[in-house]
Amino acid sequence: MVEWLLGAVVVHVVLRLIKLPSDIDQILNLTGMASLVIATFLIVWDWFWFVVGGTNQYFLGISHLIIDIWWFVITVIGLKRILGVSIWLGIVLSILAFVAAMPFAIIFMRAPF
């Protein structure tokens, strides 16, 4: 939850600093829904590989990084539709949210390498 909240707050603060309209509730809804969609798929993905015996942590880590690209896509599209930001700004905001939450991900998740 800390990753989700911190990422959304970074997006909100950056939008406010550059004098664009921002709604923290909408940003929380958007980033939370994107995370839930991706996390659901990742849980099914991981359990599939555990069941078939392919529990190579390097493969799973790299596949998670590739699948996480969809979080960026969902977030950028949502920011464009809900808040009307440009696609480039949406990409930058998504990267900032990801980078802001990365220290907590490193602490609580195991690394693929």
Side-chain angles (χ1 to χ4, degrees):
M1 283 185 66
V2 172
E3 291 177 44
W4 165 60
L5 291 172
L6 187 59
V9 166
V10 166
V11 171
H12 175 69
V13 168
V14 169
L15 285 173
R16 298 288 292 183
L17 286 174
I18 60 177
K19 307 264 193 262
L20 288 175
S22 178
D23 183 0
I24 188 67
D25 292 334
Q26 291 293 332
I27 296 169
L28 284 169
N29 288 339
L30 172 65
T31 56
M33 188 55 66
S35 297
L36 285 174
V37 168
I38 299 305
T40 303
F41 181 80
L42 287 175
I43 289 170
V44 172
W45 176 260
D46 288 347
W47 277 104
F48 170 76
W49 287 107
F50 290 143
V51 168
V52 299
T55 56
N56 181 348
Q57 82 175 32
Y58 302 111
F59 169 75
L60 289 177
I62 292 168
S63 67
H64 281 216
L65 291 174
I66 293 169
I67 294 167
D68 281 342
I69 291 171
W70 282 104
W71 182 87
F72 287 102
V73 172
I74 293 169
T75 305
V76 169
I77 291 170
L79 288 171
K80 171 95 172 118
R81 286 189 166 193
I82 294 172
L83 298 176
V85 301
S86 68
I87 295 208
W88 291 109
L89 181 57
I91 292 170
V92 170
L93 291 172
S94 295
I95 291 171
L96 285 175
F98 190 78
V99 169
M102 188 58 64
F104 292 101
I106 290 170
I107 292 170
F108 296 112
M109 298 177 199
R110 64 187 166 107
F113 299 106

